[in-house]
Structures are given as structure tokens and as C-alpha cells.
Amino acid sequence: MGITLRDVAARADVSVATASRALQKPAMVSTATRERVQQAVDELGYSPNRSARTLITGRTGVLGVVVPDLLNPFYPALLKGAQERARHHGVQLLLADAEETPEGELPLVRTLAPQVDGILLCSPRMGAKELDAAARLTRIALVNRTHTYLEAVAPNALSGVRGALRHLRSLEHRRIGVVGGPARSWSEGRRRRTIARAADELDVEVVDVGHFAPTVEGGRAAAESVLVLELGAVLVYNDVMAIGLLAALRESGFRVPQDISIVGWDDIESAAVTDPPLSTIRVPRREMGAAAIDALVEDPAAHQDGLTWRFESAFVARGSTGRARRAGD
Amino acid sequence: MGITLRDVAARADVSVATASRALQKPAMVSTATRERVQQAVDELGYSPNRSARTLITGRTGVLGVVVPDLLNPFYPALLKGAQERARHHGVQLLLADAEETPEGELPLVRTLAPQVDGILLCSPRMGAKELDAAARLTRIALVNRTHTYLEAVAPNALSGVRGALRHLRSLEHRRIGVVGGPARSWSEGRRRRTIARAADELDVEVVDVGHFAPTVEGGRAAAESVLVLELGAVLVYNDVMAIGLLAALRESGFRVPQDISIVGWDDIESAAVTDPPLSTIRVPRREMGAAAIDALVEDPAAHQDGLTWRFESAFVARGSTGRARRAGD
DNA sequence: CGCCATGCTGCAAACGATTGCACGCGGACG
DNA sequence: CGTCCGCGTGCAATCGTTTGCAGCATGGCG
């Protein structure tokens, strides 16, 4: 790793300054010089020391990504999209797991901020005040969340919910249970409102099943309420919970979709391979990850308005939804 | 971000050198000075500019992690473990996805190398020559793979395989199909050998079902051969494939475990929530990720011998394995 | 033929931290 | 009381790159 610009300059018989310019601002040097420098670079296998450049320019060429929990199956696809896009932009990704502690998020941003050009906050649990603080430290983009002046990438749930409800209605369901996620979660609130709106449009009744942990266990826990309420169809906060619910219902001797129809949310990978495969509302996670990186890389001039990028979600009909046992259920 | 060591030094009324020492080598300064500097740091909210330090010391405080595919459910848990450990060591993680292209791995290492203190290569597809080249660029640790002089973290498959075969034998299975992964994969070879050895010990017959893609589709594709060979029990290269196989068998009207027993491998999260839940050989991915980071952070003096850290795998009995229809199947 | 604009190039000063070296001061010891 | 030792501190060089400024040609134009 000992080859510096000095060496290159010496070999090309120019000054360090010229060598630097030949590489950074090719237009500023003559063609002949540029070629000589380039040749020296190739021969020596020179690669610039990023820290030195960063020290001057203040840009690190690295973006941070904070996810609440790497084990949450929602994030891998998002990371994949982000990573592809980052590579495309010639930028690296610094990964951090907030370990589901909302109080931990801001400190995390604090340590990350000096080392990156911007941070992607995925479904941050932190409050508005903390977001403000974060934004003061570095450029921020949000996923699955909006905040007045910050750039954000979020799904447009309406299309998907509409599709799901329409589908259920066509199967004679009129009374649809909603299994909620954590009560205080930002997306829970949003999703509820969207469901209410779509249900209103489509004239179906929404029954609140309650709030549950966004885990397989949480889904299992919802089973009892679902049965007590004698629901024929439920829309679940996310696929992981839907999978838990599916398992619990099966264990209680209920058949899906013959007895109960289940619609999940997110379309995580395993939703397609459950038995029956899960009907769900697909959220384009990969595209969202990619868009978020674009937002961070782009000229901060557009930062002004704090654009929100909306991604259409769509209902995906699979095997977990079927005709209501009693019409109107 | 404008606060430099200079400012701190000025406020504490010491030289920059002393300020630096107060923070880096506390033993070198008097208690009074150290406290004054610390106070200045706190009041100003100073945080050191890493690039400047890196420029001098050559250490970036960042480790690279290269995974073949972020969407492969094997890796999230591994990343989680790595990330936890990295944070514990005060080190950051640079994430890179090789996008399943073996030729892409070395270039990736090349771009990563100058920016990191070491790289974690997860299940690298590259050959021995490329690994040598990589090792020349930076410190390397391997996961799921060994290479003479490199530090590596790999599962000890024997215990798990032994458990699985013993379990199957206790259910009267004597003839066990092995659904293989990609023929040229390093771990495929290893797993095959381990299976052969354990089968030998336990006196069960191993039937080769062939090689398939390590995906749900690959697992589905294996179904036909499994049926043709009239197998009563199969051990599958990984859980993802096992899930595919499970689905395909079900669709063909076969019941698991009544007709066929299936054992997966890895114990990914979704293995526990299939129907029936998948019996599998657990690989401690999180611990492996953590150990790999430890290996990279530790004093490179131990680098000499290229230690391999073995992690015990263990068979996990769930619902996909049952008594053989005909004893000896 | 002279002047000026223009295009390349080099000098040298940054950037913010770390670290070898030297200096001064005090106490301990002879 | 003199010498020496050692601790704590500051000076200044250094890491590798970028960049403002100035200098030097060269070529075009009047």
C-alpha cells in the first residue's frame, strides 16, 4: 500500500499537483501529460489514499445505513437494493443495527455521522426531536417514515390495501379483521388510516383485532382474538405475524383459507412458500432501498423541499384467501 | 463539524500535542491536565476526525464484509452477530454484496481493501489463487470455508449430521437420500464427506439424489428424483431447498413426515414456521459472524498459523421427520 | 513587432491528527 | 548543595492529497 501520488508524479515526471489534477480534473491538464500520468498510475498500481482526500474535501464516499434489526426479514431486500445502487454510484455502505432500541438510534447516528456523507434511517423509532437532531449531524434520508423537511421513501399503501379489500370482497367477505402491529409504531398509524379509508370506499366493515408484537409469536397471540371475533378474513400488519397466525390457526384445527382468509403485508420471501402461500400486500423493498440511496447521493440542492418518494404497493393473491363460509363474513 | 483538537487544546489551555495525548495515551499526562482536556472535549462536543487519524496510523477502524447474496437467508444472522461484535470492538462494518458472481469477488476485495483494516469473506466462491491475492491486499478472515494460512470460521458439521442420522435411524430409516447443493461449492464437498463418514459410523445407506441449485426452485426440482428413488428420508443441502422440496412433495400429494421425512440444514428463521416445521441441522450463524470479527480484530500476531474456529452444529428435531413407512426405508 | 489572453504547470499552504525529540522543572540521592 | 533522573509538556515534522496562486510559454490579434 506504499504507492503514493508522489511516486506517480515522479514516474510521470510532473509535480504532485499536476498528477492530482490529471486524475481529478482531466480537463485542466494537457492530453500528453494526462496520458503519462495515467500510464504511471497503471504501471505502479496506484490507488489513492481516501483518508487524505477525505481530510481535505470532507467527503467520505461512504453512506451509513441504520436498520432496527437485521433479523427482520423486511430489511435484507432493502439492503440489497441500497447496496446495488450504492455500488452503481461508487459509494460504500456502512451498516449499523440499532438492535430495536429506539433510544439507541440517535447515539448510533452520532457515531456514524462523522464517518459518512449521509445516513439512511430505516423505519426509525425515534421521535421528531431526535430526527431533527440527527439531521443537524449529517444528511438524512428516511425509509418507511416521513418527516417534514427530510427526504423520505415510503410505500403508498392505498393501492395495495384497496386491492386486498376488493379481492376479499369479491370472495364475499364484508367484515374484515385488522391485526395491528405495535401501537406506537409510525407505520401502524399510517396503515390503519389507509385501511379505514379504503374500507370506506369499498363499503366493507373493519374490525379491530388489537395490537400485537410484530413477530411470529405476536401473530400466534392474535389467533385467539381472531377466533373470538368470529372473523372470516383478516388483514395482518406484516407477513411475519401472518405466518404466526397461520400456524396458530392450523394448530387450533382451523383451515386456511376455507375457514379463515389471511392477508399479510410486505411480501417477504417466505410468504411465497408457506402452506398455503400467503396472499399479501407487496411493498417494493428493493426499489425503496435503491431510491433512498439515490436521494442521498443526489445534489443536496434538492434537499430543500424534503421530497417524499412514494412507491406503489400491490396486492398479491395467493392461497391464503378464499371464499367466505357465510357470505358477508 | 468544525470542532478540532486545536479548539479543545485552546480551551484547555494546553498544546494540541498534549490534548491528543490526554485522549489517546492518558497515562502520559498529569491528572489535572487530563481532566481539563476532557472537560473541554465535553463542553465543545468534540469528536475526532477519523480521516486525519487514519492518514497517520493507517488504521481505519472499519472492517469489510463480503457476502455472496444479501437475500440468502443464511447471512442476516451472520451479519447480526458480526455487527454486534464489531460494535463491541468499536469498529464499523462496510457491507458489500458480491451478487453471486465469483469473478466479482476479487475486484470487490480490491476496492474495499484500501478502506478497511480487514475483510470478512463469507462463503467465498473464489479459488485458492484469488484468495492468495486477496490476502496480499488486506487481512482476511473466512466464513464457511478454509484456506491453509487464513483465519477461518466454519461449522463442524459432524455433530449435526450424526444427530440427524441417528434420529432418522431411530425412526427406522436406513436408506437416506442426500439432496446436494451446487456441485462445485466448497461446502457441498465438505458436507458430502461428513455425511459419508457419519453414515459409515452409524451404518445407514446414503443415496445420492444429485446436485441442485441452492434455492426454493432447486429444492422443488429435487422432488422428482426423490420420488423416483423411492426415498423415505432425505437430508437436504440447506433449508431453503428443503422448503422447496416440502412444497413440491405436498403438491404431488405426498405427506411429510408420514410418507417422507425431510431434514434441512442451517436452521434459518423460517425453518421453524413451515408446515410441518422443519427438522434441520442448526449452524450457529450468529456466533460464527461474531467469531469472525473477533478474528479480524485480534492481534495479527496470531495470524501466523491461520487458526480455524470450529462451531458445533446440532440436529434440531421438529415436525418434518417421522417414522419410516416401511422399516429400513 | 508588441501586448494580452489563454492554457499548463509547479510551488506551497492547507486539512486534523499523531509522535519523536527536546526542554524545564521538581524531587531524590549522594 | 550539586547532580541526575524522570515526569509532563510543547515544538515541529509528518501522513497523502487537494487547491489557490503565480509563473511561464505560446499563439492570436492589432
Side-chain angles (χ1 to χ4, degrees):
Chain A
M1 304 281 82
I3 301 153
T4 79
L5 198 52
R6 244 184 128 91
D7 305 324
V8 172
R11 180 162 195 126
D13 198 31
V14 293
S15 73
V16 198
T18 305
S20 173
R21 282 190 275 250
L23 298 174
Q24 303 304 320
K25 326 239 163 116
M28 284 187 69
V29 306
S30 72
T31 316
T33 319
R34 189 182 330 136
E35 280 168 357
R36 241 172 35 242
V37 171
Q38 187 53 53
Q39 188 182 344
V41 165
D42 295 340
E43 288 171 2
L44 266 50
Y46 164 80
S47 91
N49 181 326
R50 296 227 180 191
S51 322
R53 185 197 319 235
T54 299
L55 186 51
I56 311 228
T57 62
R59 332 209 103 216
T60 62
V62 178
L63 294 176
V65 181
V66 176
V67 298
D69 178 14
L70 275 169
L71 291 183
N72 182 330
F74 187 83
Y75 298 107
L78 205 139
L79 279 180
K80 181 94 179 181
Q83 138 79 34
E84 286 169 352
R85 213 67 197 130
R87 167 161 345 177
H88 174 260
H89 287 299
V91 160
Q92 304 290 345
L93 246 43
L94 215 51
L95 179 66
D97 185 325
E99 306 187 353
E100 290 285 8
T101 63
E103 333 75 58
E105 291 183 346
L106 188 53
L108 205 53
V109 168
R110 240 186 262 285
T111 53
L112 238 44
Q115 318 182 45
V116 299
D117 295 335
I119 296 183
L120 197 60
L121 289 177
C122 297
S123 331
R125 268 65 164 163
M126 54 176 123
K129 242 178 55 184
E130 283 82 13
L131 278 181
D132 289 338
R136 250 173 273 124
L137 294 172
T138 185
R139 190 133 184 246
I140 299 277
L142 301 170
V143 167
N144 249 353
R145 167 93 179 249
T146 56
H147 181 65
T148 51
Y149 58 97
L150 290 180
E151 303 231 32
V153 175
N156 176 9
L158 190 56
S159 43
V161 173
R162 225 182 239 148
L165 295 189
R166 198 169 282 153
H167 169 78
L168 288 174
R169 210 184 48 168
S170 76
L171 295 171
E172 309 294 346
H173 294 281
R174 287 288 178 283
R175 204 170 143 257
I176 294 164
V178 173
V179 176
R184 309 187 44 97
S185 133
W186 186 86
S187 52
E188 167 69 0
R190 240 193 112 70
R191 290 186 172 189
R192 290 267 178 176
R193 279 194 299 279
T194 309
I195 294 169
R197 179 167 158 202
D200 209 47
E201 271 180 35
L202 297 172
D203 191 32
V204 301
E205 181 189 352
V206 166
V207 179
D208 182 13
V209 180
H211 296 286
F212 299 88
T215 60
V216 171
E217 284 317 311
R220 292 192 108 95
E224 199 186 321
S225 312
V226 168
L227 292 176
V228 167
L229 291 167
E230 299 197 328
L231 290 162
V234 290
L235 177 51
V236 186
Y237 178 72
N238 70 26
D239 288 341
V240 173
M241 294 172 72
I243 288 171
L245 176 59
L246 194 64
L249 288 178
R250 188 167 48 220
E251 285 160 18
S252 309
F254 288 81
R255 289 165 309 157
V256 173
Q258 292 87 341
D259 300 325
I260 300 185
S261 288
I262 298 185
V263 176
W265 207 318
D266 291 344
D267 193 23
I268 64 175
E269 280 71 18
S270 37
V273 296
T274 54
D275 176 35
L278 202 58
S279 297
T280 189
I281 295 172
R282 167 176 301 158
V283 173
R285 312 197 291 291
R286 199 154 163 172
E287 289 77 3
M288 288 170 59
I293 293 298
D294 282 342
L296 281 179
V297 168
E298 262 173 16
D299 184 356
H303 186 63
Q304 296 285 355
D305 32 353
L307 209 57
T308 294
W309 311 56
R310 289 268 171 220
F311 278 77
E312 289 305 318
S313 60
F315 175 68
V316 181
R318 287 201 270 251
S320 65
T321 42
R323 192 153 291 275
R325 296 191 69 171
R326 296 168 308 197
D329 238 26
Chain B
M1 302 283 80
I3 300 150
T4 79
L5 198 53
R6 244 182 128 91
D7 304 324
V8 172
R11 180 161 195 128
D13 198 31
V14 294
S15 72
V16 198
T18 304
S20 172
R21 282 191 275 252
L23 298 174
Q24 303 304 321
K25 327 241 162 114
M28 285 186 69
V29 306
S30 73
T31 315
T33 322
R34 191 184 327 139
E35 280 167 357
R36 244 176 28 247
V37 170
Q38 186 55 53
Q39 188 183 345
V41 165
D42 294 340
E43 289 170 3
L44 266 49
Y46 165 77
S47 91
N49 180 326
R50 297 229 180 190
S51 323
R53 180 189 322 208
T54 299
L55 186 51
I56 311 227
T57 63
R59 331 210 102 215
T60 61
V62 177
L63 294 176
V65 181
V66 176
V67 299
D69 177 16
L70 276 169
L71 291 183
N72 182 332
F74 187 84
Y75 299 107
L78 206 140
L79 279 180
K80 182 95 178 179
Q83 139 77 34
E84 284 168 354
R85 213 66 197 134
R87 167 163 343 180
H88 174 259
H89 288 298
V91 160
Q92 305 290 347
L93 246 41
L94 216 50
L95 180 64
D97 184 324
E99 307 189 350
E100 289 286 7
T101 61
E103 333 73 59
E105 291 184 345
L106 188 52
L108 206 52
V109 169
R110 241 186 262 285
T111 52
L112 238 46
Q115 318 182 45
V116 300
D117 295 337
I119 296 183
L120 198 61
L121 290 177
C122 297
S123 329
R125 267 67 163 159
M126 55 177 123
K129 242 176 57 185
E130 283 84 10
L131 279 180
D132 289 339
R136 250 173 271 127
L137 294 171
T138 186
R139 190 132 182 248
I140 299 278
L142 301 170
V143 168
N144 251 352
R145 166 92 178 249
T146 57
H147 181 67
T148 51
Y149 58 97
L150 290 180
E151 304 233 28
V153 175
N156 177 6
L158 191 57
S159 43
V161 173
R162 226 183 237 146
L165 295 189
R166 199 171 279 152
H167 170 77
L168 288 174
R169 210 183 49 168
S170 75
L171 295 170
E172 308 296 345
H173 293 281
R174 286 290 178 284
R175 204 171 143 257
I176 293 164
V178 173
V179 175
R184 308 189 44 99
S185 132
W186 186 85
S187 51
E188 166 69 0
R190 240 193 113 71
R191 291 186 172 188
R192 290 269 177 171
R193 279 195 296 280
T194 310
I195 294 169
R197 179 167 158 201
D200 208 47
E201 270 180 38
L202 297 172
D203 193 31
V204 301
E205 180 189 351
V206 166
V207 179
D208 181 13
V209 180
H211 297 286
F212 299 88
T215 60
V216 171
E217 284 317 311
R220 292 191 110 93
E224 198 188 321
S225 312
V226 168
L227 293 176
V228 168
L229 290 167
E230 299 196 326
L231 291 162
V234 289
L235 177 51
V236 186
Y237 179 71
N238 70 24
D239 288 342
V240 173
M241 294 173 69
I243 288 171
L245 176 59
L246 194 63
L249 289 177
R250 187 167 50 221
E251 286 161 17
S252 311
F254 289 81
R255 291 163 310 157
V256 174
Q258 293 87 341
D259 299 325
I260 300 185
S261 289
I262 297 184
V263 176
W265 206 318
D266 292 343
D267 194 23
I268 62 176
E269 280 71 17
S270 37
V273 296
T274 55
D275 175 35
L278 202 58
S279 297
T280 188
I281 295 171
R282 166 175 303 157
V283 172
R285 311 196 291 291
R286 198 153 165 173
E287 290 78 3
M288 287 170 59
I293 293 297
D294 283 342
L296 281 179
V297 169
E298 262 174 15
D299 184 354
H303 186 64
Q304 295 284 353
D305 31 356
L307 210 54
T308 296
W309 311 56
R310 289 269 169 220
F311 279 77
E312 289 306 316
S313 61
F315 174 68
V316 181
R318 288 201 269 249
S320 65
T321 42
R323 191 153 293 275
R325 297 191 68 172
R326 297 166 308 196
D329 240 26

